[in-house]
Amino acid sequence: MLISRRKFLRQTAYATSAIASASTLAACGIFDQSPSTSDAGGEDVTRPATQDKKTLYLYGWATYVNNQEVLEGFTKETGIKVVGDAYDANEVMLAKLETSNGRSGYSIIYPSDYMVSQMRDKKLLAPLNKKLLPNLTNIATNYLELPHDRGAVFSIPVSLGTTGIAYNVEAVKSIVGEEPTDWSYLWQHKNKLRITLVNDPREVIGMALHTLGYSYNSKEETQIEHAFQKLRELMPAIANFSTDAWRDPLASGDLMMCMAFSGDAISLSRQNPNVKYVLPNNGTSIWTDTIAIPRGAPNIEGAHAWINYVMKPEIAAKISDANSFGTTNKLAKSLIPDDLKAIKALEPSETIIAKCDRITKLEPEALQIYDGFWTRLTTGLG
């Protein structure tokens, strides 16, 4: 089974405290500690810094770099062999590129939107040569002007994701009656529910901030504390904080409802019709995965050929089918399998988008505030 697309802490500042407290939290049963995987098979893979132009090394989320049909199609079309290594955290990728000083050996990476901003500021990305990307016209123009990289100077958004509610239909109907429509449902029925929230401070605290009418990216300590206090009201209903380990318990009915990332939840719903994924009517977090070229990439020409290839409508549709994410490719939408297109939550409507936030990079001072309240929440401290 592929590793979860979003199994990571949103900002590097959380990593130190998360590692330091992991044993304590796991021992208390607060949240699951799933084994982390980076690179190929979890090993520290080293790729040659000097390469010929007939090999292209990719570094990205597993669903992008392990799609054999897409990789083999590119090789057949271009004659370039593709080797993909997977990471499970943006921060793993960032650390590898920083320590390699432009000699990682990778010519393609898949940073999430907020990570593009961070890498751009650190001068870790190579500007794209649009003349080598004629298929760029297939990408919907609104995705080319997102705040993390206006004008798509360093990155191309390829997949659209959201954070929403996955739920067991039979369990919810039998115990609560009505099905969820927005985040406020969690508080309205907290005495009846058994739920999980993702193990991600920015997402969880951000959701509570949003429910209170604040921004997902609030820097105000009083607002963040207000969100913390609201989340404490949910603690009797929370089984744990888990980004990955909710699937089987939800399918069996041991869990009734889970905060989940769209690709994970929609994939499960496609396998199990008793599981549904809904986007909250009051809005949620919305994000994109991008494709980019790292500074010092040894095969710039091959990298542009790859980016142009995955922007083909038929290829973009295959990728969307594989990861159950929405696509930014306007011509690929009609080619997506019918069962996936039928899921309304695959791509939010303009009405919902208008109510959504994108989680953005925060300064260390603000992150420390989130970190402090997150530790208090997950350890049960007042």
Side-chain angles (χ1 to χ4, degrees):
M1 182 176 68
L2 295 180
I3 57 177
S4 166
R5 154 67 186 76
R6 304 282 289 184
K7 182 187 162 191
F8 65 93
L9 298 179
R10 274 251 179 208
Q11 300 283 3
T12 307
Y14 289 121
T16 301
S17 62
I19 293 170
S21 60
S23 297
T24 302
L25 294 173
C28 296
I30 299 297
F31 61 83
D32 298 333
Q33 290 294 319
S34 300
S36 177
T37 307
S38 63
D39 298 322
E43 300 177 357
D44 187 13
V45 177
T46 300
R47 296 305 181 185
T50 303
Q51 305 166 10
D52 60 41
K53 302 305 179 184
K54 290 297 182 181
T55 304
L56 184 69
Y57 290 95
L58 316 184
Y59 196 33
W61 306 102
T63 190
Y64 298 118
V65 302
N66 292 343
N67 191 319
Q68 290 302 311
E69 183 180 5
V70 173
L71 269 60
E72 291 170 4
F74 177 76
T75 300
K76 183 177 181 180
E77 182 172 303
T78 65
I80 301 173
K81 177 185 176 182
V82 185
V83 179
D85 295 334
Y87 55 77
D88 67 352
N90 276 287
E91 287 72 23
V92 170
M93 177 269 294
L94 175 64
K96 185 158 214 172
L97 265 62
E98 284 186 306
T99 57
S100 71
N101 195 28
R103 295 178 64 82
S104 68
Y106 296 108
S107 295
I108 287 290
I109 54 174
Y110 281 86
S112 299
D113 45 19
Y114 82 93
M115 184 54 69
V116 171
S117 302
Q118 192 168 333
M119 297 184 75
R120 179 196 60 210
D121 294 346
K122 291 176 177 288
K123 302 188 185 306
L124 292 173
L125 299 177
L128 300 173
N129 184 345
K130 304 291 180 59
K131 294 180 180 179
L132 300 178
L133 303 175
N135 289 334
L136 184 60
T137 57
N138 297 337
I139 304 298
T141 55
N142 57 305
Y143 292 112
L144 301 178
E145 294 296 336
L146 296 176
H148 66 273
D149 185 20
R150 294 194 186 281
V153 177
F154 294 98
S155 63
I156 305 296
V158 290
S159 297
L160 171 66
T162 56
T163 306
I165 301 171
Y167 64 99
N168 183 301
V169 177
E170 290 182 1
V172 166
K173 285 185 174 180
S174 64
I175 297 175
V176 180
E178 59 181 325
E179 297 182 49
T181 57
D182 58 42
W183 292 122
S184 63
Y185 180 99
L186 302 181
W187 281 269
Q188 292 169 2
H189 302 288
K190 62 180 184 291
N191 295 325
K192 298 180 180 179
L193 295 175
R194 181 169 173 79
I195 67 173
T196 64
L197 301 180
V198 295
N199 183 23
D200 186 320
R202 291 295 305 281
E203 285 283 2
V204 173
I205 297 176
M207 177 270 287
L209 283 164
H210 184 80
T211 302
L212 290 166
Y214 305 133
S215 168
Y216 262 84
N217 304 297
S218 175
K219 303 174 186 177
E220 300 295 327
E221 185 167 3
T222 55
Q223 295 180 358
I224 299 169
E225 183 174 12
H226 192 182
F228 161 72
Q229 295 295 349
K230 188 168 182 64
L231 286 165
R232 286 187 65 193
E233 297 173 12
L234 280 182
M235 289 307 291
I238 298 174
N240 53 41
F241 294 85
S242 175
T243 303
D244 299 292
W246 53 267
R247 294 174 184 80
D248 289 344
L250 182 68
S252 68
D254 290 338
L255 289 171
M256 298 170 62
M257 191 171 299
C258 301
M259 184 182 190
F261 299 121
S262 57
D264 302 329
I266 292 174
S267 291
L268 181 59
S269 70
R270 294 173 76 186
Q271 301 168 26
N272 186 337
N274 191 43
V275 172
K276 286 188 179 180
Y277 176 71
V278 63
L279 291 178
N281 286 337
N282 57 344
T284 186
S285 71
I286 186 172
W287 33 268
T288 49
D289 281 343
T290 80
I291 188 169
I293 301 175
R295 177 175 57 84
N299 192 349
I300 294 289
E301 184 177 341
H304 280 87
W306 173 262
I307 296 174
N308 198 54
Y309 174 75
V310 299
M311 289 191 294
K312 285 186 170 186
E314 63 273 23
I315 303 303
K318 288 179 181 179
I319 293 171
S320 185
D321 182 29
N323 61 24
S324 294
F325 288 132
T327 179
T328 62
N329 192 307
K330 60 190 177 185
L331 299 183
K333 296 182 187 296
S334 63
L335 304 177
I336 292 173
D338 290 341
D339 74 301
L340 186 56
K341 282 192 293 188
I343 299 174
K344 293 181 179 180
L346 177 68
E347 295 186 11
S349 66
E350 291 300 322
T351 301
I352 294 295
I353 289 176
K355 300 177 183 179
C356 292
D357 266 346
R358 289 182 178 272
I359 294 178
T360 60
K361 177 185 173 183
L362 294 178
E363 296 304 317
E365 295 79 7
L367 287 173
Q368 289 175 5
I369 299 172
Y370 281 83
D371 193 30
F373 284 115
W374 179 251
T375 299
R376 290 172 61 183
L377 182 70
T378 56
T379 58
L381 299 176

